[in-house]
Amino acid sequence: QVHLVESGGGSVQAGGSLRLSCVASGDYWGTHCMAWFRQAPGKEREGVATIFTGDSSTVVSDSVKGRFTISQDKPKDAAYLQMNSLKPEDTAKYYCATASRYSGGCDMDPLSYNYWGQGTQVTVSA
């Protein structure tokens, strides 16, 4: 079992920044895809960004490209989502997810991930 704990959510005004953290524990060894998803009320879960822990290669959704950055701290088994220039439409619950992966090519299909955190709320006011 792998446990993921997110932190760093909160309420900010449009144009502000937040940094989300996700720390993995438990049976977490080898290389993984670690991803951030978000889900707003009444909407489907949307992939935001993913990183392959083997080489730190990333994929970022077009909707946040240029504003959000995903990174990792391998010794801490942590992944981060730096969110800048936040917009009201970024308001959602943000989830961290992970799956073992031997090579790169991480995607943002929720079905590709088998461990999920509880989520952290991000609210952006106009």
Side-chain angles (χ1 to χ4, degrees):
Q1 280 284 357
V2 174
H3 300 280
L4 300 174
V5 179
E6 304 102 330
S7 61
S11 297
V12 295
Q13 290 189 327
S17 298
L18 285 172
R19 187 189 191 218
L20 305 184
S21 299
C22 173
V23 179
S25 63
D27 191 19
Y28 188 78
W29 53 273
T31 53
H32 294 77
C33 293
M34 288 195 78
W36 288 97
F37 291 83
R38 66 186 182 184
Q39 189 166 21
K43 294 189 176 182
E44 292 187 354
R45 192 164 292 191
E46 171 193 15
V48 175
T50 184
I51 186 167
F52 176 55
T53 63
D55 62 9
S56 297
S57 57
T58 64
V59 178
V60 180
S61 167
D62 287 343
S63 63
V64 304
K65 196 168 290 182
R67 300 188 297 121
F68 291 11
T69 304
I70 188 171
S71 61
Q72 65 163 335
D73 184 333
K74 289 184 70 173
K76 296 182 178 180
D77 290 333
Y80 306 99
L81 186 69
Q82 178 65 44
M83 305 186 294
N84 298 329
S85 302
L86 283 161
K87 304 176 181 180
E89 52 262 45
D90 295 318
T91 295
K93 195 163 188 179
Y94 284 70
Y95 297 88
C96 177
T98 193
S100 295
R101 191 74 175 242
Y102 297 109
S103 60
C106 299
D107 61 45
M108 289 190 286
D109 180 351
L111 296 177
S112 298
Y113 295 83
N114 51 347
Y115 294 106
W116 292 79
Q118 294 299 307
T120 185
Q121 179 67 35
V122 172
T123 303
V124 184
S125 57

